[in-house]
Amino acid sequence: MSEGWGKMISVLMRSHNDIAYIRMTVNALLEQDVDEAVEIISCDDHSTDGTAEYLASVPELIRIAPPEGKYIPGKTLNYMVKHAHGDYIIFNNGDAIPQNKEYLKNLVAPLKDHSVNCVFGNQIAREDAYAVVRKDYERAFGDGSISRSWHKFFSLVSSGFRKAELDKHPFDEAFQYSEDAQWVNRREVKIVYVPSAVVEHSHNYTLPQVRKRFFNEGIADKQMQKKTPGFLRTWKTITAETLRDWIYIAKHGVWKEFFYAPVYRYIQKMSYWKGTKQ
């Protein structure tokens, strides 16, 4: 990792029980080819699987204890930003593994244009990802051609800001979910997607986990006063996504998920809809 004479990059890494991926993430971050000086600040949320012990064994990391009390995403993010010394802030989840040595350089580059408020990187699904998950990642990321039409699509998993921007506009600590969506939706911002800044990141959630996640995202979107779909529109979305899933499954020959796809979509979309009614 090169330490240039220019501005500094602060990589802020949250983790919780990420032992399966954290070594690869940290090693990839330490091997970045970048002109600016880099500090990596690690904030582990009481991991019990060996993640905390591994992080303690890496002298290059700056480790900070999490803020006291219940975990609130915005509170932890703001807390980490206050500890950062860099001009640029990069958020990189502990389980999001950079895929090349130019990752940081590519992610930071658009932020040198002060008309850009934030950037986010490309996420590719893991090899063991369910077909429905892989399809969603390819639609959301990839070359960005599909998600470009989605209103203010953004993901904090691999993302960047100028520190001055976050000092002026911190994350809202009232949100338990969708803190990234809340940040970009509360005012007019210019978001840049960087497809060349690639991380490997995905989750094979159980169906109860899918229900909980999307129910809470529905609550958050309602809290943001976003326009949310009604009951009939939700059913149309379930049908449309299931058809896309089946086409993807047929194309890739993953027939074992043929009957799983409609169940997954029903739980995902109906849970979100129910969340918006809270």
Side-chain angles (χ1 to χ4, degrees):
M1 179 164 30
S2 138
E3 293 193 352
W5 297 102
K7 297 191 173 186
M8 175 181 277
I9 299 170
S10 294
V11 180
L12 308 187
M13 184 176 66
R14 291 179 293 170
S15 58
H16 178 72
N17 289 344
D18 292 322
I19 196 60
Y21 311 109
I22 194 76
R23 289 183 175 86
M24 291 180 284
T25 300
V26 170
N27 287 338
L29 289 172
L30 291 174
E31 292 174 358
Q32 289 298 297
D33 180 10
V34 64
D35 297 327
E36 292 84 358
V38 177
E39 64 174 6
I40 303 175
I41 299 177
S42 166
C43 184
D44 183 70
D45 184 38
H46 307 293
S47 289
T48 57
D49 66 344
T51 296
E53 290 78 5
Y54 165 71
L55 293 171
S57 74
V58 183
E60 294 90 343
L61 300 180
I62 300 170
R63 293 186 303 119
I64 59 175
E68 294 182 0
K70 177 184 176 182
Y71 175 74
I72 300 172
K75 181 180 179 180
T76 298
L77 294 169
N78 293 334
Y79 173 80
M80 294 183 77
V81 170
K82 288 179 181 177
H83 282 79
H85 302 96
D87 305 273
Y88 302 110
I89 300 293
I90 298 298
F91 291 109
N92 194 103
N93 283 14
D95 62 346
I97 307 166
Q99 296 296 289
N100 54 59
K101 293 185 178 181
E102 292 73 39
Y103 164 70
L104 284 181
K105 182 184 295 184
N106 294 340
L107 199 54
V108 165
L111 293 171
K112 296 175 182 180
D113 175 356
H114 279 247
S115 70
V116 174
N117 299 96
C118 55
V119 299
F120 68 104
N122 187 358
Q123 298 178 42
I124 58 173
R126 306 191 201 283
E127 288 186 4
D128 66 346
Y130 297 148
V132 292
V133 173
R134 187 175 299 278
K135 188 218 74 176
D136 286 355
Y137 271 65
E138 291 176 8
R139 281 173 57 79
F141 300 100
D143 63 3
S145 59
I146 295 176
S147 60
R148 192 176 297 125
S149 64
W150 301 347
H151 179 67
K152 289 189 174 181
F153 177 68
F154 181 71
S155 173
L156 198 67
V157 168
S158 163
S159 59
F161 304 76
R162 284 183 299 280
K163 187 174 189 298
E165 183 95 21
L166 291 177
D167 288 339
K168 185 176 181 181
H169 302 285
F171 291 94
D172 192 325
E173 298 183 10
F175 281 74
Q176 188 63 46
Y177 282 83
S178 301
E179 67 283 355
D180 46 2
Q182 194 278 336
W183 195 92
V184 298
N185 275 281
R186 69 188 181 194
R187 62 194 179 92
E188 286 303 313
V189 295
K190 182 177 179 180
I191 306 168
V192 172
Y193 171 54
V194 188
S196 59
V198 186
V199 296
E200 181 188 81
H201 175 264
S202 63
H203 295 282
N204 285 340
Y205 290 123
T206 64
L207 293 178
Q209 288 173 328
V210 171
R211 180 181 293 110
K212 178 181 178 181
R213 175 183 174 181
F214 286 93
F215 179 81
N216 283 297
E217 286 190 4
I219 291 176
D221 280 2
K222 186 70 173 180
Q223 193 176 353
M224 283 184 269
Q225 299 182 339
K226 290 180 67 175
K227 185 178 179 180
T228 55
F231 183 76
L232 290 178
R233 180 55 184 265
T234 297
W235 269 106
K236 289 179 180 178
T237 304
I238 292 170
T239 302
E241 284 297 337
T242 299
L243 289 174
R244 290 193 193 101
D245 291 336
W246 281 342
I247 292 170
Y248 189 90
I249 286 167
K251 180 179 178 181
H252 295 274
V254 195
W255 296 107
K256 63 182 180 180
E257 290 191 38
F258 186 83
F259 295 107
Y260 174 78
V263 175
Y264 178 89
R265 291 302 170 195
Y266 175 82
I267 292 175
Q268 179 194 50
K269 302 301 181 182
M270 287 303 294
S271 298
Y272 175 83
W273 177 77
K274 290 176 182 178
T276 66
K277 299 305 170 187
Q278 295 302 301

